[in-house]
Amino acid sequence: MRVLHVAPFFEPAWERGGMARAAAGLARALAARGHEVTVVTTRPRGSPAEEIADGVRVLRWSSWPPFERRLVPWAPGLRRRIETLARGVDVGHVHGHRTGFATAASAAFAAAGAPYVLQPHGTYPAHGQRALAKRMFDRLAGASVVARAARLVAVSEAEARDLPRPATVVPNGVELRGASAARGARGQGLLFVGNDSRQKRGLQLVPLLAALPEARLDVVGAFGEGFRRVFAPVAGRVTWSGVLAPAELAHAYARADLVIHPAVGEAFGLVPFEAALCGADPVVAGDHGCGEWLRRAGGATVPPDDPGALLAAVKERLEDHALRQREADAVARFAARELTWESAARRTEALYADLLAARRRSVA
């Protein structure tokens, strides 16, 4: 099949988190299965405008606002370009729905007469962040992106329940280049990988550290000065590592005893599974898709927004090396068996085929 993916973020935009990495993983796996895959995405500074990477044709557009700003990306001429590309493909795949790239793609696929599937990656609910702005965007454009989609894809049963109509559940694959090579000695304390959005609940780590005077914390990701200032009472025990490329991130996981992931409302959550692949034990807030998958894997989950439960789970595991090892090994085995990009590509491929068959029947 000829497939056109439209994603606001794509590798190597590591700082953009799960959507960038998930879109790249799926595109590569589809290409490996023999499909002709093209990706249209934004262009980080220093990245080529066009390249073939792992069998995937990647077309990058300089966006407005500039890529480095955390705003909804859009690019002049984008709709026309996607429409031209869409006329030569069998199916489209749009990642996220509240971006200029998604609205341009939705209109372009409609004009070209090509169907597309929509994968929100957990972004459909407002999550208590910029709720008014998101409602306004949806009224103006986002709702039509969802309505025009021929199929919806969710990464967990929890996310499927959030969506306005039935969705096909296709879990993300989990891979981290350099994970096997990075597995090594523990003993470096706690690790938090994320950003300073409220949904990630990173500020819960301040009282956690205060209650664990011997613990140290490594923080990986992009964080503003305001977020960092809150850590002033425990600043001497916190290391800020910034955004890391996959191989560096794998080594950060490998150095940690525990990876703390208190985020709420996460549809999947790559971080806990990546951590386990590197030998670190994840402790996760278990309210949504992330907890759903980690419980299946045999990992440690605690109630969301429960500092006492989080502290108790962390203390128990810091004191019990064998427990940490058992849980990390169980989660890693589950990920290697159930959460591969090859499996995600097979499921997505079947969804595309079903969609195209239904369209052929409708016009017969």
Side-chain angles (χ1 to χ4, degrees):
M1 278 180 276
R2 297 163 300 170
V3 187
L4 175 60
H5 284 244
V6 180
F9 312 115
F10 197 79
E11 64 178 27
W14 316 121
E15 70 274 23
R16 295 298 183 165
M19 187 183 296
R21 287 152 64 195
L26 180 59
R28 283 197 304 268
L30 286 167
R33 289 184 59 80
H35 301 289
E36 184 181 314
V37 182
T38 300
V39 176
V40 175
T41 187
T42 45
R43 185 182 183 185
R45 186 174 298 151
S47 296
E50 180 173 349
E51 67 174 335
I52 304 293
D54 297 316
V56 179
R57 181 189 182 197
V58 184
L59 305 176
R60 297 187 177 91
W61 282 62
S62 297
S63 60
W64 188 94
F67 177 87
E68 287 73 21
R69 296 181 62 186
R70 289 187 176 185
L71 294 172
V72 176
W74 174 81
L78 183 63
R79 173 181 168 175
R80 187 163 49 252
R81 177 59 168 151
I82 294 174
E83 183 179 337
T84 300
L85 293 166
R87 294 187 186 281
V89 302
D90 299 302
V91 64
H93 194 128
V94 177
H95 297 266
H97 79 289
R98 289 195 188 100
T99 71
F101 272 61
T103 57
S106 177
F109 282 120
Y116 69 88
V117 303
L118 172 66
Q119 188 168 0
H121 293 280
T123 63
Y124 185 80
H127 296 301
Q129 302 173 76
R130 302 185 181 91
L132 178 59
K134 290 177 180 179
R135 283 198 300 271
M136 291 176 62
F137 187 94
D138 285 348
R139 286 182 182 179
L140 292 170
S144 68
V145 176
V146 178
R148 284 173 172 162
R151 296 285 192 279
L152 300 182
V153 177
V155 293
S156 62
E157 297 291 347
E159 184 187 16
R161 291 191 292 271
D162 287 337
L163 299 177
R165 65 179 197 267
T168 300
V169 175
V170 179
N172 285 329
V174 180
E175 66 176 8
L176 188 64
R177 295 177 182 183
S180 59
R183 291 177 71 100
R186 312 251 77 82
Q188 298 299 310
L190 311 179
L191 173 66
F192 174 69
V193 180
N195 55 49
D196 54 13
S197 72
R198 183 174 179 272
Q199 184 186 358
K200 296 295 184 183
R201 298 296 200 268
L203 294 181
Q204 291 188 12
L205 295 166
V206 178
L208 180 70
L209 276 181
L212 298 168
E214 301 301 316
R216 300 188 63 83
L217 173 69
D218 187 11
V219 182
V220 172
F223 298 88
E225 286 303 315
F227 183 91
R228 295 185 182 212
R229 280 196 294 270
V230 180
F231 282 77
V234 292
R237 294 186 284 131
V238 179
T239 300
W240 301 90
S241 296
V243 176
L244 300 180
E248 297 169 312
L249 179 58
H251 283 285
Y253 285 134
R255 291 191 299 269
D257 290 311
L258 288 175
V259 172
I260 314 302
H261 197 71
V264 299
E266 285 220 326
F268 184 82
L270 290 172
V271 165
F273 291 100
E274 291 176 344
L277 290 178
C278 297
D281 188 18
V283 177
V284 166
D287 73 318
H288 203 60
C290 185
E292 171 190 316
W293 284 113
L294 202 73
R295 278 192 295 272
R296 291 188 194 181
T301 64
V302 298
D305 292 327
D306 188 333
L310 180 62
L311 174 61
V314 170
K315 287 182 69 173
E316 179 183 10
R317 283 155 182 81
L318 286 177
E319 295 167 0
D320 191 336
H321 171 80
L323 173 61
R324 295 200 308 269
Q325 195 64 59
R326 285 196 306 272
E327 288 179 344
D329 288 347
V331 175
R333 286 194 300 269
F334 180 89
R337 184 179 68 248
E338 305 288 342
L339 303 176
T340 67
W341 280 122
E342 198 277 336
S343 175
R346 280 191 288 104
R347 296 186 192 195
T348 304
E349 173 187 283
L351 175 63
Y352 294 161
D354 179 69
L355 167 58
L356 295 173
R359 281 176 63 86
R360 286 192 295 269
R361 289 193 298 269
S362 70
V363 299

